[in-house]
Amino acid sequence: MVRKGAIAALVLTAGLAVGGCGGKKQADKPELKGTLSFGVLAPTEHQGELGVRAKDLMDGAQLAVDELNAKGGVLGKKVELDAVDDACDPQVAYEAAKTFLSDGANQTAGVVGGMCDAAADREIGVVDSTGIPFLVTSATQNGLVSADLQSTFTMNGSVYQQGLSSTYWMNYKEAQRLAVVQDDSAESKALAREAVALIEGTPKLVSLQTVEPGGQDMKTIAAAAVASKANFILWTGAARPGGELVKALRAAGFKGTFTATAASESPDFLTAAGAAGDGAYVLATSTAANTPMAERWGASFKARYQREPGFDAQQAYDSVRVLAHAIQKAKSTAGPKVVKQITTLDANFVNSLGVVRFAHDHTLLYDNRVILKVKNGAFTWERSLRTDSLG
């Protein structure tokens, strides 16, 4: 199916053969009758970083589709992807989402995508109004979904859940006195605000500082944090200054726990921190690169595409599988029936971190946070930190 009109579309399923298991004869391959379409909303025509992420998302979704088709499809039908470029732009995204409004025989059975917060926000209202199941893969904005929606769920932890993970980790590490350092970005401040608001008595917030361009240098900020006698320091900003901060803190004599949020999972953090980074923690988002349970899937992706999968690929892969599982369990593509199954997924149905469950507000019940520890100048797996968003 090729979309025409104002919104450019990209269909990636043409010419793909249904894969079989090695060594099986052609006759043993499942015979698929008819097709079942999953829509994808992503900036597929974009260049630069967004374009790279969009390709990553499409490749992850396509890998899931090919695996499904090799095992008999969904409801005996061949699964196909119907991708529409949303440009990661709210206005374009609003029109792109309308592409999936249909009352014909080829109605979309489900939609995945929504990489960017503002674009996903506009797409959700349109898709949800149809009752078509929509799994938002990557956006993290608080309030994107709620219990009032009928068919939209988020597959990524929200900013609130990132803050919640921070407080769980503080408690696990027995933090008593907390210093928070943020940069001047809206994202960093929002995350710091969430973490502080979720503290219940312990730890006590003893310092809150902002790293601003042209403001106090990192040595001064580190000295102030140490003077507050904090035993746990949380950094919510970008990677490079995070590395500079931990280096300055160790030089100032800080012996406690230093933890950075997901943006610091970057070589820039390691380079800036140098040897002082060893022992630092990062509250990261699960990927095939940092999560042992996802290594096998990551190897399968690399064998197929000759590159490492990114976060968007993993999210799209898992989202397609959730939709397919729910449709198969519902024995129907009817939106309400599929949504009911999404809210009660089988306990033996898992993604890279384990069991998939959604909370009453349509966010992930167990988020996708992991703890990494810097050892010998590299990020190493420490443990998962699957917080309950209803807690």
Side-chain angles (χ1 to χ4, degrees), residues 18-56:
V18 177
C21 298
K24 284 193 174 184
K25 298 179 180 179
Q26 188 74 21
D28 293 333
K29 293 182 179 180
E31 181 181 356
L32 305 180
K33 298 181 180 180
T35 60
L36 187 151
S37 177
F38 286 167
V40 183
L41 288 165
T44 52
E45 299 295 328
H46 212 285
Q47 302 299 313
E49 181 183 355
L50 284 178
V52 171
R53 287 184 59 195
K55 185 180 187 309
D56 193 53

Side-chain angles (χ1 to χ4, degrees), residues 168-239:
Y168 270 56
W169 179 237
M170 291 174 202
N171 290 332
Y172 181 82
K173 296 298 288 184
E174 298 181 345
Q176 298 298 315
R177 295 174 64 85
L178 169 67
V180 177
V181 187
Q182 59 191 8
D183 64 26
D184 67 339
S185 69
E187 295 80 7
S188 176
K189 290 179 178 178
L191 186 47
R193 190 165 53 247
E194 289 285 0
V196 171
L198 286 163
I199 295 172
E200 297 181 356
T202 303
K204 178 182 179 181
L205 179 66
V206 294
S207 175
L208 174 60
Q209 299 182 82
T210 304
V211 176
E212 297 177 337
Q216 293 179 317
D217 63 27
M218 204 63 83
K219 288 184 179 180
T220 302
I221 287 174
V226 171
S228 72
K229 298 182 179 179
N231 73 328
F232 190 108
I233 294 177
L234 178 69
W235 165 251
T236 65

Side-chain angles (χ1 to χ4, degrees), residues 40-203:
V40 183
L41 288 165
T44 52
E45 299 295 328
H46 212 285
Q47 302 299 313
E49 181 183 355
L50 284 178
V52 171
R53 287 184 59 195
K55 185 180 187 309
D56 193 53
L57 186 150
M58 290 301 308
D59 287 348
Q62 190 63 58
L63 180 59
V65 164
D66 291 346
E67 289 178 358
L68 289 168
N69 288 337
K71 295 178 180 179
V74 176
L75 301 182
K77 297 181 179 181
K78 180 182 179 181
V79 182
E80 295 183 342
L81 297 178
D82 181 14
V84 181
D85 178 27
D86 69 0
C88 263
D89 175 89
Q91 185 173 349
V92 177
Y94 179 73
E95 297 300 327
K98 291 181 180 178
T99 308
F100 300 117
L101 303 182
S102 171
D103 57 358
N106 294 321
Q107 184 172 352
T108 303
V111 178
V112 303
M115 281 175 28
C116 304
D117 287 350
D121 193 33
R122 296 301 303 276
E123 292 163 350
I124 287 170
V126 176
V127 179
D128 195 78
S129 69
T130 69
I132 297 173
F134 182 18
L135 297 184
V136 181
T137 58
S138 313
T140 61
Q141 178 180 305
N142 285 342
L144 279 176
V145 296
S146 70
D148 295 331
L149 294 178
Q150 60 175 331
S151 61
T152 305
F153 302 81
T154 51
M155 290 288 289
N156 193 11
S158 65
V159 175
Y160 166 81
Q161 287 176 310
Q162 293 182 57
L164 189 62
S165 295
S166 299
T167 60
Y168 270 56
W169 179 237
M170 291 174 202
N171 290 332
Y172 181 82
K173 296 298 288 184
E174 298 181 345
Q176 298 298 315
R177 295 174 64 85
L178 169 67
V180 177
V181 187
Q182 59 191 8
D183 64 26
D184 67 339
S185 69
E187 295 80 7
S188 176
K189 290 179 178 178
L191 186 47
R193 190 165 53 247
E194 289 285 0
V196 171
L198 286 163
I199 295 172
E200 297 181 356
T202 303

